[in-house]
Amino acid sequence: MQTSAQNVSERQNGLGVHDVAPTVAAQLLRFTVRQSVKNSYTVWLISFFVALAALSHVPAWISVGWALSVGLAYTIRVLLIVGARDSPTLEAQHGFWLRRYTITTVACALVVATGPAFLFPAASETARMYMSVLLCCWLAGSMASVGAYAGLFAVYAAVFTGGVAVGWVLSDTTHKVEILVMLALFAVVVITFGRSFARLVSEGVEIRFVNEQLMARLAAAREAAEESSAAKSRFLAAASHDLRQPLHAVAMLNGLLTRPQTPESIADISRHMARSLSTLQRLFSSVLDYSRLEAGAPEPVPTWFALAPLLDRLTAEYMPTAAQKGLALRHDCPMVQIHSDAQILERILRNLIENAIKFTDQGAVTLTAARMDDGLNLTISDTGPGIPDNLKADIFKEYFQACAEKKEEGLGLGLAIVRHLAPLLGIGITVRDNQPRGTCFELCLPRTSVREAPCPVSDAPLAPRAIDLGGLTVLCIDDDPASLHALRALLVEWKASPLMATSPQQAFDEAARNPSIDVILSDYELGAPINGADLILALRERLGPVSGCILTGAAAAIQAHRDGLIEFPVLLKPFAARELREMLEMFKEMR
């Protein structure tokens, strides 16, 4: 900090500080003006004592007139610069106020400097010495108000001592040379002290400025910590209910399966369990999505793609959910292409659509895209209860829900995820009322990201070709027996050949007995010194270049994969069976 402040003072040049940080320079000028205003009224007293010493030697109108001129000059100076003392726009008008302060200060010094020329010649030697001492003390005291600017104070001191020197030159004395030398030395000493004083003041002002910044940051950090604590409390309140409910339902339904049931009852129980598990998966997925965003935002990969097919697919996918609540779900989109990351935009739209359906009990949810002069506006509107004006600033916070009487489970992370993702695509997002009822979220895409679609070509994906997984030998490694059991059941159903291992040593043993393994699926954290990625590498040294995949929910694995430290694909738990099958089909095609 000291070095930085020294650099500020060393950058003082001319009569002011023009090239320091604007805020610091404004604070320095404000401090100097306040000191000048506070000390300027003592000028009347000092000039009176100087005039009093000459009163018996020169005509009264000269001595009194000079004293009044000096007092009036400093009073006018105060009136001209006092506005900078509390000006809220001082930073923007710093140059104007600094020039005014500089001109008025030099002008006052010139008025003072005329006094010795009129008062000294007719005064006695003793009176001249007395007046010289008063003027020199006056100059030394002026350092408190003018000394913050070393260049300006040097001019001020030169004018002061120059005026005294002129007075002695015009006087009849035998000690002119000695006195002029002493005045020159005094001026040098005062100017040197003025430079040191300016450096100290600059350091103090900058330190104060930095301290104020630190205090502001500390206050902001404290406010953020309090908000984070409140968010965690909201999360715990939501999680304790929303996660407990589907878990409780699954436990109850599982208890029913321990007793004899009819095939119809089993099918009904299975449907209810699937619904509860789907809710659990959705809740955990939202937490994992937000955790990944906090760990590091994804890097967008923008491409040109047609918007209408994306809205077609999302509308078709969420139509059954909306229909269950008696809601209409529709969209209206012109034939345009947009330049953006399709996956990130889809995640944004999914969260907004799900949010709209969740809090709308009757009416419709509508997606509308419209070309504008400055780009494209994509709106998601609903006919729900709306959002009160006093809560619109809070709805994008983590674990916050505007509707306290919600009927759907949720942790309040959907809009927080949208808030993190939208800036990655350069998308502005606003929320407003949907007349006559409901809420409207508006996404604004820049004009450079929108163009007319060349032709209405359908972007609907082709139906994937089913790939037989029969004969695929898969080594599964996980220290959780329940996860291994579920994985084995899936692989058997897909006609693959699963091999199970609950530890790295068992994995090596299986590899020794079955050298024809095709794929290795491993958890990342295995409760052993070696992690899943290193274990796959070690097994490949024995088996050759077999395919591998990490199945994990560990944050360390997510970050390592993002940093390029894990070369294998990563499936984040909980993942859908479809995702795992697609991965295995890809591995089989690569054989």
Side-chain angles (χ1 to χ4, degrees):
M1 180 57 62
Q2 183 176 0
T3 302
S4 179
Q6 288 175 350
N7 290 339
V8 170
S9 61
E10 288 170 0
R11 291 196 299 267
Q12 293 181 348
N13 52 62
L15 300 181
V17 185
H18 297 285
D19 56 347
V20 298
T23 303
V24 177
Q27 290 196 4
L28 181 64
L29 180 58
R30 181 178 286 112
F31 165 80
T32 303
V33 169
R34 287 177 178 176
Q35 290 296 107
S36 299
V37 171
K38 182 171 63 176
N39 297 329
S40 62
Y41 299 104
T42 61
V43 169
W44 286 93
L45 182 62
I46 300 173
S47 60
F48 170 76
F49 278 112
V50 174
L52 187 64
L55 193 61
S56 59
H57 304 283
V58 299
W61 68 270
I62 294 179
S63 58
V64 174
W66 173 81
L68 289 174
S69 298
V70 171
L72 288 173
Y74 277 88
T75 301
I76 293 172
R77 174 174 176 257
V78 168
L79 296 176
L80 290 175
I81 66 174
V82 71
R85 184 176 57 179
D86 302 307
S87 174
T89 60
L90 182 57
E91 183 174 335
Q93 300 177 340
H94 173 261
F96 166 78
W97 287 109
L98 182 58
R99 285 191 297 272
R100 175 176 286 193
Y101 177 78
T102 301
I103 293 170
T104 56
T105 300
V106 174
C108 287
L110 289 171
V111 174
V112 174
T114 61
F118 292 107
L119 304 178
F120 279 25
S124 65
E125 190 86 7
T126 302
R128 285 195 293 268
M129 293 298 296
Y130 175 72
M131 288 187 287
S132 297
V133 170
L134 283 177
L135 291 169
C136 289
C137 290
W138 183 348
L139 174 60
S142 299
M143 190 183 302
S145 57
V146 186
Y149 294 101
L152 176 59
F153 183 71
V155 173
Y156 190 82
V159 173
F160 247 80
T161 54
V164 177
V166 169
W168 280 101
V169 169
L170 297 176
S171 302
D172 185 15
T173 179
T174 57
H175 304 289
K176 289 183 180 180
V177 176
E178 294 89 339
I179 291 174
L180 292 177
V181 170
M182 284 190 294
L183 284 173
L185 290 174
F186 175 75
V188 171
V189 171
V190 170
I191 292 172
T192 301
F193 274 106
R195 292 179 63 84
S196 299
F197 181 80
R199 184 171 62 253
L200 291 174
V201 172
S202 296
E203 291 175 359
V205 169
E206 184 169 5
I207 288 171
R208 178 179 177 181
F209 171 69
V210 172
N211 284 341
E212 290 175 351
Q213 282 190 318
L214 291 175
M215 291 299 295
R217 291 176 184 173
L218 180 61
R222 182 174 64 250
E223 183 179 350
E226 292 172 352
E227 174 57 31
S228 177
S229 177
K232 296 298 188 295
S233 298
R234 291 194 298 268
F235 167 70
L236 292 175
S240 64
H241 175 270
D242 292 336
L243 294 177
R244 188 188 300 272
Q245 288 293 93
L247 279 174
H248 175 70
V250 170
M252 296 288 289
L253 293 169
N254 185 63
L256 291 176
L257 292 177
T258 62
R259 297 190 293 273
Q261 302 288 340
T262 64
E264 293 79 10
S265 296
I266 293 176
D268 186 57
I269 291 171
S270 177
R271 283 193 298 272
H272 283 84
M273 289 183 72
R275 187 178 300 113
S276 296
L277 289 172
S278 175
T279 299
L280 271 176
Q281 183 173 3
R282 179 167 50 82
L283 295 176
F284 276 116
S285 294
S286 66
V287 174
L288 290 174
D289 284 346
Y290 187 75
S291 298
R292 288 197 293 271
L293 287 174
E294 283 193 320
E299 186 69 27
V301 182
T303 57
W304 285 103
F305 62 93
L307 180 60
L310 172 61
L311 299 186
D312 284 338
R313 179 161 53 84
L314 291 176
T315 302
E317 182 175 336
Y318 285 100
M319 190 79 73
T321 305
Q324 287 181 356
K325 299 187 68 175
L327 303 175
L329 179 61
R330 51 181 176 264
H331 81 272
D332 180 21
C333 180
M335 297 306 299
V336 296
Q337 289 185 333
I338 61 175
H339 189 253
S340 188
D341 187 304
Q343 292 186 346
I344 295 179
L345 180 60
E346 181 176 335
R347 289 172 68 185
I348 292 174
L349 293 175
R350 283 183 180 277
N351 280 292
L352 292 174
I353 294 171
E354 290 174 2
N355 194 72
I357 294 175
K358 180 192 301 182
F359 294 107
T360 303
D361 292 329
Q362 57 183 357
V365 174
T366 306
L367 283 71
T368 305
R371 292 292 298 271
M372 310 293 289
D373 291 339
D374 56 350
L376 182 138
N377 284 357
L378 181 56
T379 60
I380 298 88
S381 56
D382 61 60
T383 56
I387 300 173
D389 290 338
N390 63 322
L391 296 181
K392 287 180 180 177
D394 298 324
I395 58 174
F396 291 98
K397 294 180 180 179
E398 298 82 356
Y399 314 116
F400 182 88
Q401 293 182 341
C403 183
E405 298 178 354
K406 61 184 177 64
K407 298 179 180 180
E408 299 285 337
E409 296 87 349
L411 300 178
L413 286 174
L415 294 182
I417 293 173
V418 170
R419 174 174 60 87
H420 279 269
L421 292 178
L424 299 179
L425 305 182
I427 294 177
I429 181 168
T430 57
V431 57
R432 55 181 172 82
D433 294 334
N434 183 36
Q435 299 300 330
R437 175 182 172 83
T439 304
C440 180
F441 288 88
E442 187 173 80
L443 305 178
C444 300
L445 284 73
R447 182 171 55 186
T448 55
S449 299
V450 184
R451 71 183 184 188
E452 293 291 338
C455 58
V457 178
S458 175
D459 285 355
L462 297 175
R465 179 173 57 88
I467 297 177
D468 183 14
L469 297 181
L472 192 70
T473 303
V474 183
L475 174 58
C476 307
I477 310 164
D478 200 319
D479 58 349
D480 179 24
S483 296
L484 274 182
H485 180 76
L487 195 54
R488 178 187 178 88
L490 273 178
L491 293 172
V492 169
E493 181 179 343
W494 294 337
K495 307 209 181 326
S497 302
L499 303 173
M500 304 290 112
T502 58
S503 67
Q505 186 56 51
Q506 287 187 17
F508 287 123
D509 293 342
E510 288 291 343
R513 288 192 295 267
N514 301 276
S516 60
I517 292 173
D518 301 304
V519 178
I520 303 173
L521 303 178
S522 177
D523 192 11
Y524 187 74
E525 295 179 348
L526 299 170
I530 187 172
N531 60 49
D534 293 337
L535 178 57
I536 294 176
L537 290 174
L539 289 169
R540 291 179 72 174
E541 292 180 0
R542 302 187 180 188
L543 299 172
V546 299
S547 301
C549 180
I550 300 294
L551 313 179
T552 184
I558 298 170
Q559 188 60 47
H561 184 257
R562 183 179 294 114
D563 295 339
L565 302 178
I566 295 180
E567 63 179 87
F568 310 107
V570 174
L571 285 183
L572 300 176
K573 297 178 180 179
F575 52 83
R578 170 184 51 79
E579 296 178 81
L580 178 60
R581 180 173 181 103
E582 289 174 355
M583 182 69 65
L584 293 176
E585 289 177 350
M586 180 186 70
F587 287 154
K588 186 161 186 181
E589 282 192 321
M590 292 168 54
R591 290 174 56 190

